[in-house]
Amino acid sequence: MRGNRGQFKNERNRSSILEWKICLPPWKLVYSLLFMALLSLVRAVVYVEEIGPAIEEPMALLAAVFCADTYLMEVQSGRAEIFALYSRKKKTAVLFRRLAVQNLYLLALFLAGYWLFFWQRPFFLTRDCTAAQLYGMYASAAVITIPFWSILSVAVSILFWNMWAGIGAAFLLWLSLVSKGAEELLGEWGLFSYASRSLGRPSDLSWLWGKGLTLLLAFVAAALILWILKKTEGRK
């Protein structure tokens, strides 16, 4: 009994390691790390309050690109025949597990990347919030921004069976939302309400309305994935 239990545990550990290797190949790690490093070098900030907003919009775009192939990576790696034999329930579990792994990595990347901007020696615009509070607000925004854009790109990729369709759709939406007109029109309800909030009033939390809407849309996109997988069951 103990031997079987140990064997099962070893197999589960090997399976977990394999999932991490599939989700996070070296080339993805390299370009995401370079992205964060370059962003901290080319995006100038003067105030500490600017750091989070300077990262949020690029963060969304990277999340969409990074995760677009989450489902289709089986086709690209030549394992499509094996993956096609899985039940829809198992495919769905694998998909969302891999999305979770990638989202956790991206969250860790952007939480660590925040501190890279301090080489520019920014100072506080106001003393309305402490550095810890500003960082907490940034982390709260990242926890919502990353899942929405990653799930959106995956949903469109599965719908059109093309990762570039997912990236393209996410990019077009992103482009329309980062415009000044969109910021003025949507205000605190914008998907980038955190990035467009007033720097002079960092303690104003009205931007949470936009993040709440973003979270709701993330659930809608996840439900869309479930619906698409049901409609395309058996597709190779």
Side-chain angles (χ1 to χ4, degrees):
M1 180 69 71
R2 288 182 181 178
N4 292 336
R5 206 176 288 166
Q7 184 179 0
F8 174 74
K9 186 176 181 180
N10 290 334
E11 288 178 356
R12 187 173 60 182
N13 290 338
R14 282 197 295 269
S15 178
S16 299
I17 293 171
L18 180 61
E19 287 293 340
W20 278 88
K21 287 182 177 179
I22 292 172
C23 295
L24 303 173
W27 63 273
K28 276 193 172 186
L29 299 179
V30 169
Y31 85 68
S32 59
L33 290 169
L34 286 175
F35 178 91
M36 191 70 248
L38 289 173
L39 183 63
S40 68
L41 292 173
V42 303
R43 191 65 183 266
V45 297
V46 177
Y47 307 114
V48 176
E49 290 88 343
E50 286 183 291
I51 298 175
I55 301 174
E56 190 193 20
E57 291 170 356
M59 173 202 304
L61 200 54
L62 179 62
V65 173
F66 194 90
C67 298
D69 68 342
T70 302
Y71 188 77
L72 301 180
M73 64 175 61
E74 298 293 343
V75 177
Q76 297 165 350
S77 61
R79 295 186 301 270
E81 293 79 8
I82 298 173
F83 194 65
L85 298 175
Y86 289 0
S87 65
R88 175 163 51 91
K89 183 178 180 180
K90 188 171 182 179
K91 287 180 182 177
T92 303
V94 168
L95 170 63
F96 281 99
R97 185 165 62 244
R98 291 179 180 176
L99 258 176
V101 168
Q102 292 176 105
N103 274 231
L104 285 172
Y105 165 74
L106 289 173
L107 180 61
L109 174 68
F110 283 108
L111 290 180
Y114 180 93
W115 303 104
L116 294 179
F117 284 78
F118 280 87
W119 76 268
Q120 301 183 38
R121 299 185 182 278
F123 55 90
F124 286 92
L125 175 63
T126 72
R127 286 293 176 178
D128 203 15
C129 288
T130 65
Q133 289 171 328
L134 289 173
Y135 187 65
M137 286 187 280
Y138 165 74
S140 300
V143 164
I144 297 173
T145 297
I146 292 170
F148 169 71
W149 289 93
S150 60
I151 294 172
L152 173 67
S153 67
V154 170
V156 178
S157 294
I158 299 174
L159 181 63
F160 291 98
W161 209 244
N162 189 314
M163 63 171 283
W164 294 108
I167 293 173
F171 177 70
L172 289 175
L173 177 62
W174 179 87
L175 206 59
S176 66
L177 291 174
V178 298
S179 66
K180 203 65 181 175
E183 287 184 8
E184 293 175 356
L185 176 65
L186 299 173
E188 62 192 25
W189 288 97
L191 301 191
F192 292 120
S193 56
Y194 170 76
S196 61
R197 80 191 199 284
S198 172
L199 296 180
R201 294 185 297 128
S203 61
D204 180 9
L205 299 180
S206 59
W207 57 271
L208 288 174
W209 292 109
K211 290 292 106 181
L213 177 60
T214 305
L215 182 61
L216 176 62
L217 291 176
F219 282 110
V220 172
L224 178 61
I225 288 177
L226 296 176
W227 179 81
I228 294 170
L229 290 178
K230 183 178 180 180
K231 291 296 181 181
T232 59
E233 189 171 8
R235 185 178 185 179
K236 298 183 182 181

